[in-house]
Amino acid sequence: MTFAPSLPAPPHDCPLCPRLAGYRAELRIEQPEWWNAPVGAFGDPNAWLGIIGLAPGKHGANRTGRPFTGDGSGVMLFEVMRDHGLVEGEYLGLPDDGMTLHGAMILNAVKCVPPHNKPAPEETRTCRAFLEAEAEALPTVRIYIALGQIAHQSAVKALGGRLPKCRFAHLAEHRMPDGRILIDSYHCSRYNQNTGRLTREMLDAVFARALDLKR
């Protein structure tokens, strides 16, 4: 299963992060019908907007094989994207629901599900090579949205920026050396939604700003 076959992706049994590879192996025994492998990109290969998440959720993308599909985080994300004309079809939480993205590509900073949704710093660093390769293969993407601080940090480095000059804050904007722009957002995790750290209106403002910058 792949949703952006033209983009670089880790192999199905990527061994580069032993802890993550071991966790995948455990989940394949517990849930053999799940995807349980690195999750590739999803979206429009001619996208102008890139959305960078943290990592596959255990019961979301790690189960379904499609980013932000199958758990609570995708509901808000795809509804807001639909409101801004970036989604075609209906999101049903299934990888074969027929939903497509128009003008947007979703990537993850870490391609494999981490235990407790927390990748180790060395795992994020190791996986950054894949994020860099994806960004290089998307020359029409000039605006990125980073969902959460870890995605922000990895995105800044992958796009050639410097972290001391690019501090994470919701709706903060950072211009990379080649002119690409990164916009920060709190992650649309169910936890952030339930605690009010990220509301639909806050996420809507991030996408509205991206569209303003595109014009």
Side-chain angles (χ1 to χ4, degrees), residues 13-183:
D13 288 304
C14 183
L16 294 180
C17 299
R19 186 180 76 117
L20 301 189
Y23 189 46
R24 290 197 322 261
E26 293 175 10
L27 290 174
R28 286 175 182 174
I29 295 172
E30 295 175 11
Q31 303 288 348
E33 74 281 6
W34 287 8
W35 176 245
N36 292 325
V39 175
F42 168 50
D44 182 352
N46 297 311
W48 62 269
L49 176 65
I51 300 158
I52 301 177
L54 171 57
K58 179 180 178 181
H59 296 92
N62 179 68
R63 177 172 62 86
T64 65
R66 192 177 75 178
F68 288 95
T69 299
D71 57 19
S73 61
V75 176
M76 176 190 283
L77 177 64
F78 291 126
E79 285 182 353
V80 170
M81 291 178 67
R82 180 197 61 203
D83 290 347
H84 290 280
L86 298 168
V87 167
E88 296 180 354
E90 185 178 1
Y91 171 70
L92 300 177
L94 302 169
D96 57 355
D97 57 16
M99 185 191 72
T100 59
L101 304 188
H102 177 68
M105 180 70 76
I106 298 178
L107 317 168
N108 272 324
V110 177
K111 310 305 182 188
C112 295
V113 58
H116 311 295
N117 293 321
K118 293 182 179 179
E122 62 269 21
E123 293 162 352
T124 305
R125 285 194 297 270
T126 297
C127 216
R128 190 172 302 128
F130 295 110
L131 181 61
E132 291 171 349
E134 288 172 331
E136 185 175 349
L138 293 167
T140 58
V141 175
R142 306 308 300 168
I143 300 169
Y144 283 88
I145 293 172
L147 298 174
Q149 187 162 4
I150 294 176
H152 157 84
Q153 293 171 347
S154 200
V156 169
K157 293 179 180 179
L159 298 176
R162 297 184 62 187
L163 283 175
K165 295 183 177 180
C166 301
R167 296 188 180 277
F168 175 82
H170 187 77
L171 266 179
E173 295 177 22
H174 314 282
R175 187 171 292 274
M176 300 294 105
D178 64 359
R180 287 178 290 184
I181 297 173
L182 178 68
I183 308 172

Side-chain angles (χ1 to χ4, degrees), residues 2 7 11 24 26 34 41 71 89 95 102 109 115 120 136 152 157 167 177 187-189 191 196 198-200 202:
T2 181
L7 293 188
R24 290 197 322 261
E26 293 175 10
W34 287 8
D71 57 19
H102 177 68
E136 185 175 349
H152 157 84
K157 293 179 180 179
R167 296 188 180 277
H187 194 281
C188 51
S189 67
Y191 176 82
L198 181 71
T199 65
R200 180 165 175 156
M202 291 169 66

